[in-house]
Amino acid sequence: MESLRDVRRVMEREAKKGSCPLMFDRLEFGDKPFQFITSEEKLDEVLAWLLRLKSFRQYAEKTIINNVYMDLDMLCKKPQFKRTHSVIDREGIYARAQRYKKRLQPDYESGLCLETVRCIFTLPEGEAEKYRMTHDRQETYAFIMSNKYILGLFTHCEVARKSVVPGGVEYGHLTEPEKRIVLLDGVRDVLFQALLLDDVEYAGNELSANLHTIYCLNEK
């Protein structure tokens, strides 16, 4: 993984080219950030939902191209993170996730969970007005960013999630088993991960999106 310094430099160059200067600010754990996946059928449903496939294909609007997905080729030792441009791309990622699932052999008896963390992004003061627009007679915002810029935002989210303790993220309201997962204690592997930028909220100069991670936990 590139250093955050290198990532920031790339993002600065992309901003000068016209990318919206949205910046990662912090992570937030909600009241119920974890959902246990207790069957293979439920896991397949979660993967289809994240990738907007099968019965969830109806939710795949134009902004789905902004989503960042984990993709793992069996010939590669490390996962790749990428955006997709078609349903065929997403189906390919789904198929490779299925193969990786078989390789990991997850334990469906409390050994697999979906984590949802809120990623908060901010804009420099006064910048939001530049991206205001009217769509279907309603005022909204269009934050245009390049591929490199979006992947840079994802990298900041990923690094922040891995460094929860030094990053000062609040999670004291969670149960003890949940706190262990937050600290990645007992986490065996990451089966899948996605930053969904096709479902964002904007309020008070902050934009937020969910980072979803499916963890394989150590067997009890």
Side-chain angles (χ1 to χ4, degrees):
M1 181 185 295
E2 296 178 278
S3 70
L4 281 184
R5 180 181 297 178
D6 292 336
V7 172
R8 291 191 187 99
R9 287 173 178 168
V10 171
M11 294 174 70
E12 288 171 0
R13 288 196 294 268
E14 293 300 303
K16 290 179 180 179
K17 295 178 183 177
S19 285
C20 173
L22 196 68
M23 293 301 296
F24 174 79
D25 186 70
R26 65 188 185 277
L27 289 179
E28 291 183 355
F29 285 88
D31 293 334
K32 296 181 179 180
F34 298 103
Q35 298 180 45
F36 282 93
I37 300 172
T38 56
S39 70
E40 185 173 6
E41 292 74 19
K42 183 62 177 178
L43 173 57
D44 291 345
E45 182 181 27
V46 170
L47 289 170
W49 172 67
L50 291 173
L51 288 158
R52 311 307 194 220
L53 295 173
K54 298 184 179 181
S55 63
F56 303 102
R57 191 169 174 175
Q58 60 183 310
Y59 303 112
E61 299 181 354
K62 291 182 179 179
T63 52
I64 193 173
I65 65 173
N66 296 324
N67 293 347
V68 179
Y69 292 112
M70 172 181 161
D71 192 11
L72 187 63
D73 190 317
M74 292 296 102
L75 298 177
C76 299
K77 294 183 179 180
K78 294 184 179 180
Q80 306 295 312
F81 294 94
K82 62 178 67 173
R83 296 165 66 201
T84 61
H85 299 281
S86 70
V87 65
I88 295 175
D89 291 343
R90 300 197 307 278
E91 287 175 342
I93 291 177
Y94 181 84
R96 287 185 286 276
Q98 290 292 324
R99 291 197 291 270
Y100 193 47
K101 172 189 71 176
K102 293 179 180 179
R103 177 181 171 184
L104 291 180
Q105 291 292 307
D107 173 21
Y108 294 103
E109 294 184 5
S110 72
L112 192 69
C113 74
L114 171 68
E115 174 191 85
T116 301
V117 179
R118 203 69 174 164
C119 299
I120 312 298
F121 308 95
T122 59
L123 281 167
E125 188 173 353
E127 282 287 326
E129 292 303 313
K130 298 180 181 180
Y131 305 96
R132 188 189 294 272
M133 61 174 289
T134 301
H135 179 68
D136 290 340
R137 298 182 181 181
Q138 292 185 342
E139 286 194 350
T140 184
Y141 294 86
F143 302 110
I144 308 301
M145 295 172 284
S146 68
N147 182 63
K148 290 181 180 179
Y149 200 94
I150 289 176
L151 292 178
L153 287 179
F154 170 78
T155 298
H156 276 80
C157 296
E158 185 185 23
V159 170
R161 176 58 191 90
K162 290 179 178 178
S163 57
V164 164
V165 176
V169 178
E170 295 184 6
Y171 59 94
H173 60 289
L174 302 178
T175 65
E176 289 304 318
E178 290 174 336
K179 289 178 182 178
R180 290 187 64 225
I181 300 175
V182 169
L183 299 176
L184 303 180
D185 181 11
V187 171
R188 176 162 60 94
D189 215 325
V190 172
L191 193 152
F192 194 72
Q193 192 169 43
L195 175 64
L196 299 186
L197 292 170
D198 66 339
D199 181 21
V200 301
E201 295 180 2
Y202 182 74
N205 203 43
E206 291 186 345
L207 183 146
S208 58
N210 285 331
L211 175 67
H212 299 278
T213 308
I214 300 176
Y215 291 122
C216 286
L217 307 179
N218 290 327
E219 297 181 6
K220 293 184 177 181

